[in-house]
Amino acid sequence: MNATTGFTNPADRHVEGAFPATAWSMLRQMGSEIPEEERIGWERLARAYWQPLYFFLRRRGADHHAAADEVQGFFAHLLSREFVRRIERGNGLFRSFLLTSLQNWRADQRRFAVAQKRGGGMAPLPLHELEAVSALPVATDASPEEAFDRRWARALYDNSLAALQARLESRGRGLLFSALKGLFTGQTTDQYQEIATRLNMSGGAVKQAALELRREFSGVLHEEIRRTVTDEALVDEELRYLLKLLRG
């Protein structure tokens, strides 16, 4: 995953069997009685989903340091077993659940003026990633909720791209992925024949490989979204909404 959209190292996160079935299972893993499982659950959840929350807080007027501090304090709150026991899935969208939970937590902070211990004893979010995201512009043409959803869409897209890269690298096709990914991410002006020459392939073979890559990416993106919903019927609706945000 690139520095603008999340923390997870693709080699760590997307290997087969390394990622829990859903975002909900990550949250429940945080309530494990086994310290190592609890730590892993916290890190996976925080690193996968911290940026949408950060951008929501920035759009609400928090500066970089305040937003970063609140995100870490919120994840410390999520770590509490009392919270995990009270989880309700709401409308089945993990992004809605997470944003609502953050807003409720902030309201409690203000209402009771409770001093939270930031980080809860867990590893903080990586400093270099926090500094990298602090340089990104915060959209002023969107509400805080819209800013959250846009960053959520980008995070899921880049998570999926990282997952596809890990899959192809495990099959010895990492060079092909690196050459072709720009064709559907819009990050290259290279033509099929230029790529074909570079990879010592025919132009037709490159076109076919690009088509297969797009199809496989579509499947990976569906899988990523499926992890964040509780009802299979929500997957396509969520995909359409997130793609609309990315195109906008």
Side-chain angles (χ1 to χ4, degrees):
M1 188 183 305
N2 64 41
T4 67
T5 53
F7 292 142
T8 308
N9 183 330
D12 294 336
R13 179 170 173 229
H14 290 290
V15 293
E16 191 67 26
F19 193 74
T22 67
W24 301 105
S25 66
M26 272 200 293
L27 192 57
R28 283 186 169 77
Q29 189 179 19
M30 289 165 60
S32 171
E33 297 295 332
I34 304 174
E36 182 63 13
E37 287 189 3
E38 185 178 70
R39 181 189 66 78
I40 292 172
W42 187 91
E43 289 183 353
R44 282 177 172 163
L45 185 69
R47 295 188 180 198
Y49 299 113
W50 74 274
Q51 280 209 7
L53 297 173
Y54 169 88
F55 275 85
F56 171 81
L57 293 171
R58 289 297 309 276
R59 192 65 188 90
R60 289 290 295 267
D63 64 19
H64 164 64
H65 296 291
D69 188 50
E70 280 205 89
V71 167
Q72 296 202 71
F74 172 63
F75 279 115
H77 165 65
L78 291 189
L79 185 61
S80 69
R81 288 187 176 86
E82 179 184 356
F83 177 85
V84 173
R85 285 195 300 267
R86 294 188 290 106
I87 292 174
E88 295 181 3
R89 297 188 179 192
N91 65 5
L93 297 177
F94 189 71
R95 63 178 170 83
S96 298
F97 164 81
L98 202 60
L99 183 57
T100 298
S101 296
L102 173 68
Q103 291 172 308
N104 290 340
W105 175 76
R106 295 184 79 225
D108 287 343
Q109 294 285 291
R110 292 191 299 271
R111 187 178 303 116
F112 300 109
V114 177
Q116 294 289 329
K117 180 181 179 182
R118 297 299 187 245
M122 309 306 290
L125 299 176
L127 179 61
H128 69 284
E129 297 286 1
L130 284 170
E131 292 306 315
V133 79
S134 71
L136 295 177
V138 178
T140 57
D141 61 341
S143 69
E145 291 76 13
E146 289 170 335
F148 172 86
D149 283 357
R150 287 181 186 179
R151 185 52 52 169
W152 183 275
R154 175 52 57 182
L156 287 183
Y157 181 91
D158 286 335
N159 287 351
S160 300
L161 197 62
L164 180 59
Q165 179 178 0
R167 286 188 182 186
L168 291 179
E169 287 178 347
S170 71
R171 301 201 297 259
R173 304 183 70 192
L175 183 61
L176 180 65
F177 172 83
S178 296
L180 294 178
K181 71 175 183 178
L183 291 176
F184 65 96
T185 60
Q187 295 175 335
T188 182
T189 58
D190 289 351
Q191 302 301 309
Y192 286 113
Q193 193 55 53
E194 294 177 77
I195 296 173
T197 300
R198 193 160 68 245
L199 297 179
N200 195 27
M201 297 170 62
S202 69
V206 170
K207 288 183 180 180
Q208 181 61 33
L211 178 61
E212 293 173 357
L213 192 67
R214 289 189 181 96
R215 287 174 177 168
E216 189 165 2
F217 178 73
S218 177
V220 173
L221 184 57
H222 273 82
E223 291 175 12
E224 189 74 18
I225 292 173
R226 192 171 287 115
R227 291 186 174 111
T228 68
V229 300
T230 57
D231 187 340
E232 182 69 21
L234 295 172
V235 174
D236 287 340
E237 178 183 348
E238 181 76 344
L239 177 61
R240 286 192 295 271
Y241 174 64
L242 296 178
L243 288 179
K244 180 181 177 181
L245 292 175
L246 289 170
R247 290 167 181 154

